[in-house]
Amino acid sequence: MRTITLFLCGLSLAVIAATAHAQGEAQRGAVDVPIGGDSAQPSGPVIRASDLLRLNVYNKSDERLGEIEDLVIDPKNGTIRYAVLSFGGILGVGDKLFAIPWEKLTLVSKGTSAAGTMKEDYCLLDIPKEVLRQAPGFDKRNWPNFATRDWSGQVDRYYQAQRESAGPDSRR
């Protein structure tokens, strides 16, 4: 009986140690979950849109590029076309907005960045800050018509998004 008790105690300690080790690994290493791309292939767990708003966006150099201000949804096929990124300015004053093609973002779960910084969930956008500064953007008080082929085509070409531009031009 004593041998069985010692065996069960040892087994319990091994399970506890393995669980703690797995939790430690999850804390140390960030998990990349692509959130854009081909809708025919599952890209990971589902997420609420409200969890994406105000999510910080970083590039691979661990520079903060801004935060997700809004999402642009294509009602025809029910997909997210763009994440609207707020970038620049100080304390929300002078911010410029950028429509980032959704497939260009990757959701990174809470963990340690490549630079060793501990972060909450964030999005990764693989472009340097200077490229973003030169991207087509808009003012908070003057949003573009996302349905026009001219505008969406310009944005998609800038970010080299591999998909069709928006539907028929609404200016006709």
Side-chain angles (χ1 to χ4, degrees):
M1 186 67 156
R2 183 174 182 202
T3 305
I4 293 173
T5 303
L6 288 174
F7 173 75
L8 291 175
C9 285
L11 183 61
S12 296
L13 287 174
V15 168
I16 291 169
T19 303
H21 177 72
Q23 288 175 343
E25 288 298 313
Q27 286 284 8
R28 279 192 289 284
V31 178
D32 294 349
V33 179
I35 55 178
D38 185 2
S39 61
Q41 297 177 350
S43 61
V46 295
I47 188 167
R48 294 179 351 183
S50 60
D51 290 338
L52 295 172
L53 299 180
R54 302 285 178 242
L55 204 59
N56 286 316
V57 178
Y58 291 84
N59 62 17
K60 286 191 175 184
S61 299
D62 206 30
E63 296 174 301
R64 186 177 181 278
L65 299 177
E67 65 183 27
I68 295 178
E69 184 86 15
D70 210 337
L71 301 172
V72 178
I73 298 170
D74 182 345
K76 184 176 179 181
N77 60 22
T79 60
I80 299 173
R81 295 279 300 186
Y82 303 101
V84 177
L85 176 68
S86 175
F87 172 72
I90 299 172
L91 298 173
V93 177
D95 286 3
K96 189 173 178 184
L97 299 180
F98 299 89
I100 307 297
W102 185 244
E103 64 270 14
K104 295 297 180 179
L105 294 168
T106 300
L107 178 65
V108 180
S109 297
K110 181 178 181 176
T112 307
S113 71
T117 308
M118 187 65 168
K119 289 192 178 80
E120 295 296 319
D121 292 349
Y122 65 99
C123 281
L124 180 67
L125 177 60
D126 189 16
I127 63 169
K129 248 185 189 180
E130 283 307 312
V131 172
L132 182 59
R133 280 191 180 103
Q134 297 172 19
F138 55 97
D139 183 70
K140 286 184 178 188
R141 293 177 306 274
N142 189 21
W143 284 55
N145 181 346
F146 291 94
T148 63
R149 283 184 188 261
D150 289 343
W151 188 88
S152 63
Q154 175 190 13
V155 170
D156 291 348
R157 282 188 302 278
Y158 186 84
Y159 293 102
Q160 299 174 354
Q162 300 298 315
R163 60 180 160 76
E164 290 183 28
S165 293
D169 193 329
S170 63
R171 294 180 302 174
R172 290 183 194 172

